Amino acid sequence: MNLPLLIVMIIVYMAIMSWLAYLGNKQTKTAEDYLVAGRRIHPLVMALSYGATFISTSAIIGFGGASALYGFGMLWLAFLNILVGIFVAFAVFGVRLRKMSSALGATTFPTLLGERYQSKFITVFSGLMIFLFMPAYTSIVLIGGGRFLQETLKVDFNIGLMLLAIIVGLYVITGGLKAVMYTDAFCALVMMAGMVFLLFNSYSAVGGVMDGHEGLSAMRDLVPQALAEQGHRGWTAMPEFGSPLWWTLVSTLIMGVGIGVLAQPQLAMRAMTVTDDRALYRAVLIGGVFMFFMTGTAFMAGPLSNLYFYETQGKISVDVAGGNIDLIMPIFINQIMPEWFLYLFTLTLLSAAISTISSLIHVQGAAFGEDILKTLGVKSAKGSLNLSKIGVLVGVVAAVILAYILPGSVIAQATAFWFGICASGFLPALIGALYWRNATR
């Protein structure tokens, strides 16, 4: 390991992050600044922040590992991420969300629903859903970052986990959403550079696009028997229609995450941060390109790892990782990439973890202080802003505790769990709020 080079890269990276967090903190004067960035964020910053928040270590490490198990069928999730997660979220839902939040004076997702339906119960209940269930998602983003630090830098998993939690907690508490979005945008640029290089190197490692796909198709007979019995027909084919594996892939992973994104509180809030509809339309192209390289790369590199490992070690990916699919992508990246890239990708994964965790922790803190305590009449000497900061601390602690408790190979499952809750719980209420005037509580 070239320790001096790594240390210099991390120092420069953290210096830029700290400066952006300071900039956000300096511009945060009111509760509206802290919660919705004063509603004056540039569309480029908003789109990059949205994408960086959406794409976490969960997508790169967890879903990359899941695609190594299920195959190229996961690319349908990348398609939904672009169509639904970007186009519909910005150009359709985002436009109405922005107007309604501004008209109602809502600064959080639960407050928006509560004000729209004129119900304090809906505000508090939605806040509780976020505060109690979102840590399951936050914790696995921490796990993904910790696992990569463990495999790449040989840092103890527990130490890596705590470092990520402390870094995020500090700058979310001080700078609010402005600091989160500025640092997110920088993280997105680092992530983009890392993933573009990974995509080209993944295909290069297996002989190119044609040879890679043909070689992977020829490995159909190597699918583990247990998966074949559930409907697995090879890594370049969809599972057998109607089989247990097809239902898991399509209903839970592809649709649960691909549609559940529309009602993600931490993402919906991004539409509240811009000044007008034009800003949302301009963000579509930026977000779409970013999303293609983020999710598309992970879902192509995952299946290709099977061919690479079989050609070099005589095993498929899940066997190389000892059955823990959360380790497939870290091992694959460590083996095919030059040393200098591992340091860049370390920053990519750190960026993915920090950008997503910061947004999740910000939303949890706001849910605790603004949506639950303030709505119930609890007051602080320093106002609801102070209560939100207390919520941030509680959210960080809850996420760290869960990260230690949850088992291996859980990243994709826990992501689908949270996105599924949003799709089944928040999404119907949100659609009613935005598109049905007669909808009542």
Side-chain angles (χ1 to χ4, degrees):
M1 181 186 294
N2 190 338
L3 201 58
L5 175 61
L6 177 63
I7 290 173
V8 169
M9 289 178 70
I10 290 178
I11 288 174
V12 171
Y13 174 81
M14 292 309 298
I16 295 172
M17 292 282 283
S18 299
W19 178 75
L20 291 170
Y22 167 76
L23 193 64
N25 182 44
K26 193 175 177 182
Q27 296 176 8
T28 300
K29 307 294 183 184
T30 65
E32 187 172 67
D33 288 337
Y34 187 88
L35 295 169
V36 288
R39 303 185 196 272
R40 294 185 302 274
I41 287 290
H42 191 279
L44 174 63
V45 174
M46 190 279 284
L48 290 175
S49 172
Y50 178 97
T53 301
F54 191 167
I55 302 303
S56 65
T57 52
S58 164
I60 299 170
I61 300 299
F63 276 74
S67 68
L69 191 67
Y70 296 117
F72 277 106
M74 285 287 289
L75 282 171
W76 281 110
L77 175 54
F79 172 74
L80 280 186
N81 287 157
I82 296 170
L83 177 65
V84 178
I86 298 295
F87 178 74
V88 175
F90 287 1
V92 183
F93 273 46
V95 170
R96 293 195 176 220
L97 261 170
R98 187 198 67 77
K99 289 178 180 175
M100 184 173 289
S101 67
S102 181
L104 297 174
T107 52
T108 68
F109 185 79
T111 304
L112 176 74
L113 292 180
E115 290 292 329
R116 163 61 181 83
Y117 290 113
Q118 299 181 332
S119 169
K120 286 188 176 181
F121 172 80
I122 288 176
T123 299
V124 174
F125 187 77
S126 299
L128 280 171
M129 280 180 66
I130 292 170
F131 193 67
L132 295 178
F133 294 122
M134 190 181 271
Y137 181 38
T138 312
S139 64
I140 53 93
V141 179
L142 276 175
I143 290 172
R147 289 295 179 205
F148 189 82
L149 291 175
Q150 172 191 331
E151 286 297 316
T152 303
L153 305 184
K154 308 307 176 189
V155 173
D156 181 77
F157 174 69
N158 299 320
I159 294 174
L161 207 66
M162 292 304 297
L163 280 173
L164 285 175
I166 291 169
I167 290 169
V168 169
L170 284 174
Y171 82 76
V172 173
I173 287 175
T174 54
L177 193 57
K178 284 193 175 182
V180 168
M181 293 184 76
Y182 290 159
T183 50
D184 280 357
F186 171 67
C187 286
L189 296 176
V190 175
M191 290 161 64
M192 186 80 166
M195 294 301 276
V196 169
F197 197 78
L198 174 62
L199 178 62
F200 287 101
N201 259 40
S202 296
Y203 275 104
S204 177
V206 294
V209 176
M210 296 299 293
D211 288 346
H213 285 244
E214 287 173 1
L216 194 59
S217 297
M219 290 173 57
R220 176 177 175 175
D221 294 339
L222 296 174
V223 172
Q225 185 62 30
L227 289 174
E229 290 174 355
Q230 293 182 54
H232 203 305
R233 298 191 300 178
W235 290 280
T236 55
M238 284 292 286
E240 182 181 350
F241 180 77
S243 65
L245 203 67
W246 186 91
W247 277 109
T248 299
L249 178 63
V250 174
S251 71
T252 302
L253 298 178
I254 295 175
M255 295 184 69
V257 176
I259 296 174
V261 63
L262 284 176
Q264 290 288 303
Q266 75 278 9
L267 298 180
M269 284 184 67
R270 294 298 184 272
M272 303 181 190
T273 64
V274 293
T275 53
D276 54 31
D277 295 347
R278 188 176 154 197
L280 289 167
Y281 298 139
R282 289 168 64 189
V284 170
L285 179 61
I286 302 164
V289 172
F290 179 83
M291 199 61 63
F292 169 77
F293 280 105
M294 293 299 108
T295 56
T297 295
F299 302 161
M300 286 185 268
L304 291 173
S305 68
N306 288 286
L307 177 59
Y308 174 80
F309 287 132
Y310 185 69
E311 290 178 340
T312 56
Q313 301 181 34
K315 299 178 182 178
I316 62 172
S317 300
V318 70
D319 293 332
V320 171
N324 186 350
I325 65 172
D326 294 344
L327 292 176
I328 292 174
M329 289 299 288
I331 296 172
F332 179 58
I333 291 165
N334 272 283
Q335 292 196 15
I336 70 166
M337 292 299 183
E339 185 180 12
W340 66 265
F341 178 80
L342 294 181
Y343 303 147
L344 172 62
F345 207 76
T346 296
L347 298 183
T348 298
L349 265 293
L350 281 175
S351 297
I354 290 172
S355 60
T356 301
I357 297 168
S358 62
S359 294
L360 296 174
I361 294 296
H362 177 270
V363 170
Q364 288 173 56
F368 181 80
E370 191 77 11
D371 304 320
I372 300 172
L373 297 185
K374 185 180 176 181
T375 304
L376 292 175
V378 178
K379 294 183 179 179
S380 165
K382 295 183 180 181
S384 61
L385 192 58
N386 197 49
L387 293 175
S388 295
K389 292 181 178 181
I390 295 171
V392 168
L393 284 175
V394 177
V396 169
V397 172
V400 170
I401 292 172
L402 271 176
Y404 285 119
I405 294 173
L406 291 172
S409 298
V410 75
I411 293 179
Q413 294 175 20
T415 303
F417 164 78
W418 170 245
F419 275 65
I421 283 177
C422 291
S424 58
F426 285 141
L427 188 55
L430 179 62
I431 290 174
L434 297 177
Y435 291 98
W436 188 16
R437 287 184 178 274
N438 295 327
T440 68
R441 58 185 176 184

